[in-house]
């Protein structure tokens, strides 16, 4: 209840800003992200703000105080319904629990750009990446570096997130292609650094030898590195997202690689898509951004801090 009250108060403040913006005839976009703990979503918000500055729209950010909290996000949707923004950019915290909230937005005829996590409903477009392919490429890259043999553990993300389910499905495809890889265990890190550290600490007490860790995002990979350091153990670690702290670990040799599920570019693209819809410009049914493995051969391009990056033009991403 305490978290829900905080979310409600923050939502009221945001919606007051929406009302003020409407009075000024400025187009307003409400941006829903999952949490403030994952740097990938912070990158998304920075990207949205950059597009807002260059296009003259107003962006309002709605973020649960408790990471990935369904009740908080539902409450924020209810608030948005009372004081309609011109458009919504929506990253659902749960692709099943938030279906009813999306239906309400649809019934209110508020245009939605859906991001990252597919779910049923009516949307002006979908912006994301192929998580199955991302998971498969991550696992295959690791297994090839291991020479096709080794003992590994898997750190999964939030079970309710379709990104996690698809990445794990990609892992399973790679497992089938590399019979020499032995999976010692799989744990739930909820896409959070502290949770992943706890999972890894448990694995380290259970297994005297772990060759590598397959992590479903970079924040969890960083938690794994903390656990390894505290236990004075080593293992090859790989992640997903291409966040700056992970890229710095690649630079120093702490991590093998990460796959660029680029939430900054996705944030740029989703916000441009919302603006294009409001300006009655054409949109494809979906925009899928390609993923790229970031390792020692190319990491320098990702060392630029997120707040110093420039959004790509529409033609660069919408093909």
């Amino acid at each position: 209840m305490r978290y829900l009250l905080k979310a409600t108060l923050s939502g009221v403040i945001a919606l007051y800003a929406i009302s003020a913006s409407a009075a000024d005839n400025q187009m307003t976009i409400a941006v829903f992200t999952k949490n403030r703990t994952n740097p990938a979503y912070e990158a998304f918000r920075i990207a949205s703000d950059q597009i807002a500055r260059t296009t003259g729209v107003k962006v309002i950010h709605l973020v649960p105080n408790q990471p990935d909290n369904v009740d908080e996000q539902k409450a924020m949707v209810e608030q948005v319904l009372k004081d309609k923004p011109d458009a919504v950019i929506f990253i659902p915290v749960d692709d099943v629990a938030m279906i009813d909230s999306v239906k309400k937005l649809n019934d209110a005829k508020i245009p939605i750009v859906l991001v990252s996590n597919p779910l049923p409903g009516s949307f002006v477009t979908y912006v994301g990446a192929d998580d199955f392919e991302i998971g498969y490429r991550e696992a295959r890259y690791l297994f090839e570096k291991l020479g096709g043999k080794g003992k590994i553990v898997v750190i999964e993300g939030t079970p309710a997130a379709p990104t996690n389910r698809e990445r794990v499905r990609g892992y399973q495809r790679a497992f089938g292609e590399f019979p020499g890889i032995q999976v010692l265990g799989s744990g739930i890190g909820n896409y959070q650094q502290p949770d992943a550290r706890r999972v890894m600490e448990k694995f380290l007490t259970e297994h005297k030898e772990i060759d590598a860790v397959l992590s479903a995002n970079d924040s969890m990979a960083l938690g794994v590195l903390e656990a390894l350091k505290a236990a004075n153990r080593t293992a090859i670690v790989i992640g997903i997202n291409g966040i700056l702290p992970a890229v710095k670990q690649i630079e120093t040799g702490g991590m093998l690689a990460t796959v660029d599920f680029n939430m900054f570019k996705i944030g740029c693209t989703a916000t441009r898509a919302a603006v294009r819809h409001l300006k009655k410009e054409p949109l494809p049914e979906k925009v899928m951004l390609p993923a790229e493995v970031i390792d020692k051969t190319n990491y320098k391009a990702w060392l630029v801090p997120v707040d110093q990056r420039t959004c790509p033009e529409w033609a660069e991403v919408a093909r």
Side-chain angles (χ1 to χ4, degrees), residues 116-182:
S116 185
N117 295 348
L119 49 66
S122 178
F123 310 103
V124 299
T125 192
Y126 171 81
V127 180
D130 186 339
D131 282 286
F132 173 80
E133 180 65 20
I134 287 170
Y136 174 69
R137 289 190 66 188
E138 178 197 17
R140 187 176 179 86
Y141 181 92
L142 173 63
F143 300 164
E144 287 175 347
K145 291 295 181 181
L146 290 171
K149 296 180 180 179
K151 299 176 180 179
I152 75 161
V153 295
V154 179
I155 310 294
E156 298 183 27
T158 307
T163 53
N164 180 69
R165 292 197 297 271
E166 286 300 293
R167 290 171 191 180
V168 171
R169 199 165 67 86
Y171 295 167
Q172 290 168 347
R173 176 184 173 187
F175 293 150
E177 296 176 359
F178 289 84
I181 297 296
Q182 180 184 355

Side-chain angles (χ1 to χ4, degrees), residues 240-256:
I240 293 170
N241 276 150
I243 64 173
L244 185 59
V247 176
K248 288 182 176 179
Q249 287 291 337
I250 293 169
E251 181 180 34
T252 59
M255 278 178 63
L256 171 66

Side-chain angles (χ1 to χ4, degrees), residues 68-280:
D68 297 45
N69 186 275
V70 169
D71 290 335
E72 287 189 54
Q73 192 171 73
K74 284 185 174 181
M76 289 173 178
V77 170
E78 293 298 325
Q79 293 157 10
V80 163
L81 289 166
K82 293 175 183 176
D83 195 348
K84 295 181 180 180
D86 296 287
V88 163
I89 296 172
F90 197 64
I91 304 180
V93 297
D94 186 303
D95 64 328
V96 175
M98 297 309 299
I99 290 175
D100 186 59
S101 294
V102 165
K103 185 178 185 303
K104 290 179 180 179
L105 291 169
N106 285 162
D107 291 343
K109 300 191 184 307
I110 299 174
I112 307 171
V113 174
L114 183 64
V115 176
S116 185
N117 295 348
L119 49 66
S122 178
F123 310 103
V124 299
T125 192
Y126 171 81
V127 180
D130 186 339
D131 282 286
F132 173 80
E133 180 65 20
I134 287 170
Y136 174 69
R137 289 190 66 188
E138 178 197 17
R140 187 176 179 86
Y141 181 92
L142 173 63
F143 300 164
E144 287 175 347
K145 291 295 181 181
L146 290 171
K149 296 180 180 179
K151 299 176 180 179
I152 75 161
V153 295
V154 179
I155 310 294
E156 298 183 27
T158 307
T163 53
N164 180 69
R165 292 197 297 271
E166 286 300 293
R167 290 171 191 180
V168 171
R169 199 165 67 86
Y171 295 167
Q172 290 168 347
R173 176 184 173 187
F175 293 150
E177 296 176 359
F178 289 84
I181 297 296
Q182 180 184 355
V183 181
L184 300 174
S186 182
I188 305 301
N190 293 310
Y191 286 142
Q192 303 293 320
Q193 188 166 334
D195 292 5
R197 175 172 178 161
R198 286 190 288 271
V199 171
M200 190 63 194
E201 287 171 346
K202 183 173 183 293
F203 282 146
L204 289 169
T205 61
E206 294 172 345
H207 305 288
K208 292 183 179 181
E209 183 182 351
I210 298 174
D211 296 312
V213 183
L214 186 60
S215 173
N217 85 341
D218 285 343
S219 291
M220 296 192 299
L222 295 174
V224 166
L225 291 176
E226 290 176 344
L228 287 167
K229 183 177 180 180
N232 197 27
R233 297 269 295 272
T234 60
I236 296 171
V237 180
I238 189 169
I240 293 170
N241 276 150
I243 64 173
L244 185 59
V247 176
K248 288 182 176 179
Q249 287 291 337
I250 293 169
E251 181 180 34
T252 59
M255 278 178 63
L256 171 66
T258 179
V259 182
D260 182 30
F261 183 89
N262 195 320
M263 286 301 282
F264 176 78
K265 285 187 179 179
I266 290 174
C268 296
T269 306
T271 312
R272 282 197 194 278
V275 173
R276 286 179 67 86
H277 175 77
L278 294 174
K279 292 183 176 180
K280 303 188 185 308

